[in-house]
Amino acid sequence: MRLDVVSIFPDYLAPLDLSLIGRARRDGLLDVRVHDLRDFTHDRHRTVDDTPYGGGAGMVMKPEPWAEALDSVVASGDSGAVPHLIVPGPGGVPFTQALARSLAAEPWLAFACGRYEGIDERVYEHAAARMPVTVVSLGDYVLNGGEVAVLAMVEAVARLLPGVIGNAESLVEESHEDGLLEYPVYTKPASWTDGGVVRDVPSVLLSGDHGAIAAWRHTQRLARTAARRPDLLPVSGALTPEGLAEVELRPATPGDVGELLTLTHACWLKEGIANETLRVPAMHETVSSMAASLGEWQTWVLRSGGRLVGTVRGRVAGEGDWYVGRLGVAPDLQGRGVGRWLLARIEELAPEGTRRLVLTTGAKSEGNLRMYKKAGYRIVGRDDPVGTVELAKPLRR
Ligand code: JQB
């Protein structure tokens, strides 16, 4: 792959000589050429900027040096070939792993590093008349120029090229490839005494039980993604239960506990009545027990128009079991398929290696039993003294 970078600070791109990118260049996998924009000026001061028309703060990059620099890059290629020009800018399309992948498939990329308040708009027109042009943003914050963005983009693109990273496997098992953040990683020593504090590697990782390790890692990935990047979770996006307005499914946070407790009491009071008992744990939940449960379960809350209208939670139980619990829908919204929808969402969150979905309900909870059976669950056990039944369904993936 060929890369051309135009900048008024060519030294800023010196890191492209280092590490994996530097080796890829020496191995002939990457042909990187950095150009000084000032080499395409013709005045004594090598001027690249001027004041903005219409007024306002700062300076704007002049069009003529840019047009000359880009024409010179194009002219240096094979006849007929043009690069895909990437212009870093805070107003560009987001730079993502998907964009990195598509750029990695191109034979020739050129990067135009702006500075000051940006580049005269006519440069984009000049370039677009000659080559594909994409304005790309690294993220929603403001940099002083495009150079840092180019370093990041070139690193993300180059490591995807065949031969740049020796171990192709390390490319697959990564966050942003399958939409979840990475699980935490550990190395030796298994027990590290850190100035008096003993810090142990989680014991499951030393167990040699590959199924248990996979389940633990999946739970860690979900918990991290829920805490740091809830926007990435598959359930938070376009999927919505029919007939509910402005729905939002999110991991429960401590701020949800008050409403969650109210919803839980409202839903499970009905269960107590149907089963003629007060021995329904959800009825006895308190603010503090509910808050503590958030650390033991992956608990989700469904809001509609800001109102908390549903909940469900899951956790890894026995070997290969994903235990679903506390599926509840606000009493006035029951019977519309919202519970069935929540059940489907929590089923999707079962970790890799799950063989069974398991849940418990009241032996006399007719409505629940009907819904679970329709969803493919079968009774696999009864606790007659307590009055509950255990239901399970095999998971095929
Ligand atoms: C000048 C840049 C970024 C390139 C990326 C990102 O152009 C501007 N407009 C408003 C404020 C500041 C600037 C400064 N500036 C060239 C230039 C900023 C890139 C940039 C970027 N890619 N934030 N800022 N994610």
Side-chain angles (χ1 to χ4, degrees):
M1 168 180 266
R2 178 169 166 190
L3 300 175
D4 287 82
V5 185
V6 183
S7 164
I8 58 169
F9 296 121
D11 290 346
Y12 224 122
L13 298 141
L16 295 179
D17 284 333
L18 303 174
S19 188
L20 284 170
I21 310 284
R23 176 155 45 82
R25 292 175 74 175
R26 289 187 292 280
D27 291 348
L29 298 169
L30 267 184
D31 173 9
V32 183
R33 306 184 196 182
V34 180
H35 313 271
D36 187 344
L37 180 68
R38 292 194 199 273
D39 291 347
F40 301 91
T41 58
H42 302 287
D43 64 313
R44 216 161 53 81
H45 297 107
R46 313 229 289 164
T47 310
V48 294
D49 62 326
D50 207 335
T51 53
Y53 276 116
M59 301 293 272
V60 173
M61 295 191 107
K62 293 169 65 59
E64 307 95 317
W66 272 113
E68 231 184 86
L70 296 174
D71 289 353
S72 141
V73 167
V74 170
S76 71
D78 295 340
S79 98
V82 291
H84 182 166
L85 180 67
I86 305 300
V87 188
V93 299
F95 185 67
T96 59
Q97 190 64 21
L99 182 53
R101 281 216 173 272
S102 96
L103 295 180
E106 305 216 24
W108 187 7
L109 301 176
F111 294 89
C113 300
R115 282 269 148 184
Y116 316 111
E117 300 305 306
I119 305 172
D120 187 301
E121 190 62 24
R122 293 167 294 181
V123 173
Y124 298 89
E125 297 166 13
H126 175 96
R130 290 160 177 79
M131 62 196 108
V133 179
T134 308
V135 182
V136 178
S137 169
L138 209 55
D140 292 339
Y141 39 79
V142 180
L143 304 172
N144 278 333
E147 288 79 5
V148 163
V150 167
L151 288 175
M153 293 184 209
V154 168
E155 183 156 315
V157 168
R159 65 194 294 283
L160 297 175
L161 300 176
V164 172
I165 288 193
N167 180 4
E169 226 181 68
S170 55
L171 283 178
V172 225
E173 227 190 75
E174 273 179 313
S175 71
H176 297 293
E177 292 291 345
D178 69 356
L180 289 180
L181 302 184
E182 290 162 309
Y183 50 79
V185 293
Y186 300 85
T187 186
K188 287 175 270 296
S191 185
W192 170 42
T193 306
D194 174 18
V197 182
V198 178
R199 302 188 190 279
D200 288 337
V201 171
S203 59
V204 64
L205 298 178
L206 312 176
S207 69
D209 179 342
H210 299 295
I213 292 170
W216 181 85
R217 284 180 168 167
H218 182 76
T219 305
Q220 292 290 315
R221 296 184 72 199
L222 279 170
R224 272 198 172 179
T225 309
R228 301 178 185 174
R229 295 291 308 277
D231 57 301
L232 293 180
L233 286 165
V235 290
S236 65
L239 297 160
T240 59
E242 269 172 67
L244 278 196
E246 294 176 70
V247 293
E248 185 188 40
L249 183 65
R250 296 262 168 223
T253 63
D256 293 318
V257 164
E259 287 166 282
L260 192 54
L261 184 66
T262 306
L263 178 77
T264 301
H265 285 161
C267 293
W268 272 271
L269 174 61
K270 205 174 139 184
E271 289 308 289
I273 292 168
N275 291 277
E276 296 161 7
T277 178
L278 287 173
R279 291 175 62 181
V280 178
M283 290 170 65
H284 300 271
E285 202 78 81
T286 64
V287 170
S288 62
S289 68
M290 191 109 219
S293 76
L294 298 186
E296 293 151 19
W297 294 82
Q298 287 170 37
T299 307
W300 292 77
V301 292
L302 178 70
R303 291 183 180 276
S304 173
R307 175 188 168 206
L308 200 156
V309 296
T311 183
V312 67
R313 65 188 190 180
R315 73 174 173 197
V316 174
E319 174 83 13
D321 283 354
W322 178 241
Y323 198 89
V324 173
R326 295 292 168 85
L327 176 58
V329 175
D332 60 310
L333 297 174
Q334 291 177 5
R336 305 184 179 203
V338 179
R340 182 71 192 83
W341 183 88
L342 280 168
L343 181 60
R345 301 288 80 73
I346 200 74
E347 288 178 352
E348 287 168 356
L349 290 166
E352 213 169 289
T354 299
R355 291 193 302 274
R356 264 192 352 155
L357 302 159
V358 189
L359 53 84
T360 301
T361 193
K364 295 181 184 167
S365 303
E366 306 285 346
N368 295 354
L369 287 165
R370 204 175 316 116
M371 193 267 276
Y372 292 135
K373 285 180 179 167
K374 224 173 143 188
Y377 289 79
R378 296 291 170 262
I379 293 176
V380 295
R382 311 183 160 273
D383 188 334
D384 290 329
V386 180
T388 57
V389 290
E390 187 174 68
L391 295 107
K393 116 167 154 183
L395 186 66
R396 283 170 294 273
R397 277 214 275 237

